[in-house]
């Protein structure tokens, strides 16, 4: 093999290798993107400071991360720490904010550590920045925010055509948004009297949340309202739910509020009588709440332990029981008082006055009778067609005596005669003109004349023991 043939064998593969390398540059343009556009990344933006530029002839023209060649301006900037990058751009032409899927126009953020790495880009339907128009300034403008980590980055303004119209660009750093994760309220429930107020304290977590503003709302302002400070004002009786919401409305917490009435109770009272029930009612004049509703039952009866007594020279007063219709026994001196007409000692009819008081009203009278002291037959002597009877004389509380005799041991009326004898006469009586040889039953009692309601009546003692006598023939 000669030298020419040898060289031909070596050169041809070398040319093929160069061709393959060159074809690789076309297939994988990212290897030349950095080499190309980094040469034009000679401008640095200080965050918060505006810069201006204009796409015009002579600007860098080449591919970026896509397949189309475009005109572009490159700016280098540094994020001081993780946060938000605010992008604001305005121009007389809307082409800086006009995007198309068929082009690579728009804005791109590349990594400073890897200049071929696209961090963010804008174009139609992909992180599109909405176009706005200011009529007063005849300007198109738009803005957006993206989250970036601390470090260096490149910002590219790209256009498919020469525009030669100035744009104004401002990149600004913003603290990262830390969202509220929870809201807790203290108290989480409360009870207030109408007219009162109390402040709810809201605790926001995390403590370093970007916006810790709380919006307050009441679902029932007619019952309770809430101020921006969280102060709840009770309006009227009822329930309400107070809600605290984060500024984005995503996180909420509630406090249950019950509003009660600052009661002002008024008492209504009607005493019971012997004919009708009474009542005691305590009702709030503001809300109508009834604290007490008690029925006082009517007086049913007044009972004396005894209605009569026999004169013994001493004061005699019966015990009295007063009950209502439910069987409750009323209390002396609390529910009623007693007074007496008469000395409650002499033989006669005495009036007991029951006067009701407190929860009861009215008067009731009861009569208590003290009967004269009885006497006894001391001797009975038979006579021809008669007999003589003697008895024990009663000197006091006695008007006279009644002597009864009968042929019937039961003193049947048709077989019985009664003789009245004045007490001033002797305590002996002879009865004559009877049938001879007949057996008679004899008894005696005392009586006293008393006036009741202006009318004289007799009060009788009990009958003495019966004696028997048989008249002589």
């Amino acid at each position: 093999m000669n030298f020419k043939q040898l060289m031909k064998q070596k050169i041809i593969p070398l040319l093929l290798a160069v061709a393959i390398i060159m074809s690789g540059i076309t297939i994988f343009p990212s290897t030349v993107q950095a080499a190309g556009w980094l040469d034009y990344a000679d401008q640095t933006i200080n965050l918060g400071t505006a810069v201006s530029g204009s796409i015009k002839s002579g600007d860098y023209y080449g591919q970026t991360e896509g397949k189309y060649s475009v005109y572009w301006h490159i700016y280098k900037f540094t994020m001081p720490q993780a946060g938000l990058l605010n992008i604001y751009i305005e121009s007389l032409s809307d082409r800086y904010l006009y995007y198309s899927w068929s082009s690579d126009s728009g804005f791109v953020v590349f990594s400073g550590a890897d200049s071929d790495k696209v961090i963010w880009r804008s174009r139609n339907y992909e992180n599109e920045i909405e176009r706005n128009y200011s009529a007063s300034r005849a300007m198109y403008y738009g803005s957006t925010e993206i989250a970036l980590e601390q470090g260096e980055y490149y910002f590219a303004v790209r256009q498919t055509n020469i525009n030669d119209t100035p744009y104004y660009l401002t990149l600004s750093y913003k603290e990262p948004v830390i969202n509220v994760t929870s809201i807790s309220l203290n108290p989480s429930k409360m009870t207030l009297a109408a007219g009162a107020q109390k402040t709810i304290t809201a605790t926001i977590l995390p403590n370093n949340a970007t916006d810790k503003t709380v919006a307050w709302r009441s679902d029932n302002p007619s019952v309770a309202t809430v101020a921006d400070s969280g102060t709840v004002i009770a309006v009227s009786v009822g329930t309400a739910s107070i809600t605290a919401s984060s500024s984005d409305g995503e996180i909420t917490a509630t406090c249950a509020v019950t509003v009660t009435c600052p009661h002002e109770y008024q008492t209504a009272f009607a005493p019971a009588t012997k004919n009708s029930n009474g009542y005691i009612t305590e009702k709030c004049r503001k809300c109508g709440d009834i604290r007490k509703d008690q029925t006082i039952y009517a007086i049913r009866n007044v009972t004396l332990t005894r209605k009569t007594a026999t004169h013994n020279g001493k004061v005699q007063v019966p015990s009295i029981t007063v009950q209502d219709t439910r069987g409750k026994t009323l209390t002396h001196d609390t529910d009623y008082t007693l007074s007496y007409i008469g000395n409650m000692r002499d033989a006669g009819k005495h009036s007991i006055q029951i006067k009701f008081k407190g929860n009861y009203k009215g008067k009731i009278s009861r009569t208590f009778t003290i009967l004269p002291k009885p006497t006894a037959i001391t001797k009975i002597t038979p006579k021809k067609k008669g007999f003589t009877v003697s008895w024990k004389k009663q000197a006091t509380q006695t008007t006279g005596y009644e002597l009864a005799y009968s042929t019937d041991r039961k003193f049947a009326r048709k077989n019985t005669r009664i003789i009245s004898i004045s007490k001033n006469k002797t305590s002996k009586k002879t009865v004559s003109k009877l049938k001879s040889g007949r057996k008679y039953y004899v008894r005696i009692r005392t009586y006293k004349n008393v006036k009741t309601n202006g009318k004289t009546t007799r009060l009788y003692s009990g009958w003495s023991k019966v004696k028997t006598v048989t008249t002589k023939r």
Side-chain angles (χ1 to χ4, degrees):
M1 180 182 297
N2 58 31
F3 176 76
K4 289 183 177 181
Q5 291 175 329
L6 180 62
M7 291 301 293
K8 187 178 181 178
Q9 288 179 348
K10 292 183 179 181
I11 290 172
I12 290 174
L14 180 61
L15 292 174
L16 289 174
V18 171
I20 292 172
I21 293 172
M22 293 302 293
S23 65
I25 292 174
T26 304
I27 297 171
F28 305 104
S30 62
T31 58
V32 299
Q33 287 174 21
W37 65 260
L38 279 178
D39 292 337
Y40 293 87
D42 57 355
Q43 297 189 65
T44 298
I45 288 184
N46 293 322
L47 296 185
T49 301
V51 296
S52 63
S54 177
I55 301 294
K56 57 189 176 180
S57 178
D59 288 339
Y60 175 70
Y61 184 73
Q63 290 184 335
T64 56
E65 82 285 2
K67 62 183 179 179
Y68 299 103
S69 293
V70 294
Y71 296 92
W72 47 332
H73 291 173
I74 309 296
Y75 300 94
K76 188 176 183 179
F77 68 93
T78 302
M79 288 289 288
Q81 57 185 358
L84 298 177
L85 176 70
N86 178 269
I87 303 169
Y88 176 79
I89 189 164
E90 62 179 24
S91 175
L92 294 173
S93 170
D94 68 345
R95 288 203 59 80
Y96 291 107
L97 288 163
Y98 178 80
Y99 318 124
S100 170
W101 280 107
S102 63
S103 71
D104 285 331
S105 61
F107 312 116
V108 182
V109 176
F110 294 93
S111 168
D114 182 357
S115 57
D116 287 331
K117 182 179 180 181
V118 174
I119 302 298
W120 177 89
R121 68 179 177 180
S122 67
R123 60 185 183 184
N124 265 8
Y125 308 112
E126 186 176 342
N127 300 323
E128 181 177 5
I129 300 176
E130 182 180 354
R131 284 181 295 177
N132 294 285
Y133 182 74
S134 172
S136 62
R137 298 177 59 201
M139 282 279 190
Y140 293 91
Y141 64 94
S143 65
T144 191
E145 292 178 351
I146 61 175
L148 295 177
E149 295 297 322
Q150 181 181 19
E152 292 185 343
Y153 296 89
Y154 295 99
F155 184 86
V157 180
R158 307 172 304 164
Q159 286 295 317
T160 56
N161 299 310
I162 296 171
N163 194 351
D164 201 16
T165 301
Y167 63 81
Y168 303 92
L169 171 68
T170 303
L171 302 181
S172 303
Y173 171 79
K174 289 183 65 176
E175 291 286 343
V177 175
I178 300 176
N179 294 322
V180 173
T181 58
S182 72
I183 300 175
S184 59
L185 303 182
N186 183 26
S188 59
K189 61 181 179 179
M190 65 171 71
T191 299
L192 297 175
Q197 63 182 40
K198 187 173 184 178
T199 299
I200 303 173
T201 301
T203 300
I204 312 298
L205 293 179
N207 291 326
N208 63 340
T210 300
D211 188 352
K212 299 177 74 173
T213 303
V214 172
W216 297 92
R217 182 181 64 85
S218 170
D219 72 342
N220 196 350
S222 64
V223 171
T225 62
V226 61
D228 292 340
S229 62
T231 299
V232 177
I233 301 175
V235 178
S236 62
V237 176
T239 58
S241 182
I242 304 299
T243 301
S245 303
S246 59
S247 58
D248 59 7
E250 294 295 322
I251 305 299
T252 61
T254 59
C255 174
V257 177
T258 300
V259 179
T260 60
C261 177
H263 297 305
E264 293 183 11
Y265 289 101
Q266 294 178 323
T267 301
F269 169 69
T273 68
K274 62 181 179 180
N275 297 317
S276 62
N277 292 340
Y279 60 84
I280 300 176
T281 301
E282 294 181 3
K283 185 176 181 179
C284 177
R285 71 177 184 85
K286 289 188 173 182
C287 69
D289 178 69
I290 297 176
R291 180 171 65 181
K292 185 176 184 179
D293 188 7
Q294 176 185 344
T295 299
I296 308 170
Y297 293 98
I299 303 160
R300 183 177 66 181
N301 55 42
V302 177
T303 305
L304 305 183
T305 52
R306 52 179 177 158
K307 294 182 179 181
T308 62
T310 299
H311 174 71
N312 61 7
K314 299 178 181 180
V315 173
Q316 300 186 76
V317 177
S319 297
I320 296 176
T321 301
V322 183
Q323 292 181 317
D324 65 15
T325 54
R326 289 292 183 94
K328 174 188 174 183
T329 300
L330 277 59
T331 303
H332 180 222
D333 287 338
T334 299
D335 300 319
Y336 63 90
T337 59
L338 298 173
S339 60
Y340 307 94
I341 299 177
N343 58 21
M344 304 300 291
R345 181 181 62 247
D346 294 340
K349 290 189 176 183
H350 301 271
S351 179
I352 302 175
Q353 298 289 330
I354 299 96
K355 184 178 181 180
F356 294 96
K357 58 184 286 191
N359 291 338
Y360 303 89
K361 181 180 180 181
K363 295 180 180 179
I364 295 177
S365 296
R366 290 290 183 266
T367 299
F368 180 65
T369 302
I370 298 179
L371 303 174
K373 190 175 182 180
T375 187
I377 296 174
T378 57
K379 184 178 180 181
I380 186 166
T381 304
K383 292 183 174 294
K384 186 177 181 180
K385 294 186 179 181
F387 60 86
T388 299
V389 59
S390 300
W391 60 85
K392 184 178 180 180
K393 186 177 182 179
Q394 293 294 344
T396 60
Q397 299 294 309
T398 302
T399 302
Y401 307 92
E402 281 191 345
L403 179 68
Y405 59 93
S406 177
T407 57
D408 180 18
R409 68 167 53 193
K410 293 184 177 181
F411 291 86
R413 175 178 286 185
K414 65 179 182 177
N415 298 320
T416 302
R417 282 196 62 193
I418 298 177
I419 303 171
S420 294
I421 304 167
S422 173
K423 75 169 184 176
N424 295 325
K425 294 184 178 181
T426 181
S427 57
K428 180 186 291 187
K429 177 69 175 176
T430 298
V431 179
S432 59
K433 298 180 180 181
L434 301 179
K435 291 182 178 181
S436 60
R438 292 290 299 270
K439 183 178 181 180
Y440 287 89
Y441 298 90
V442 183
R443 61 185 183 183
I444 194 170
R445 66 182 178 183
T446 62
Y447 69 85
K448 182 180 180 182
N449 293 332
V450 298
K451 282 190 175 182
T452 304
N453 297 324
K455 184 178 180 180
T456 300
T457 59
R458 283 185 175 184
L459 295 180
Y460 296 96
S461 71
W463 289 103
S464 67
K465 289 184 178 181
V466 177
K467 299 288 187 179
T468 60
V469 63
T470 302
T471 60
K472 293 183 179 180
R473 293 181 180 277

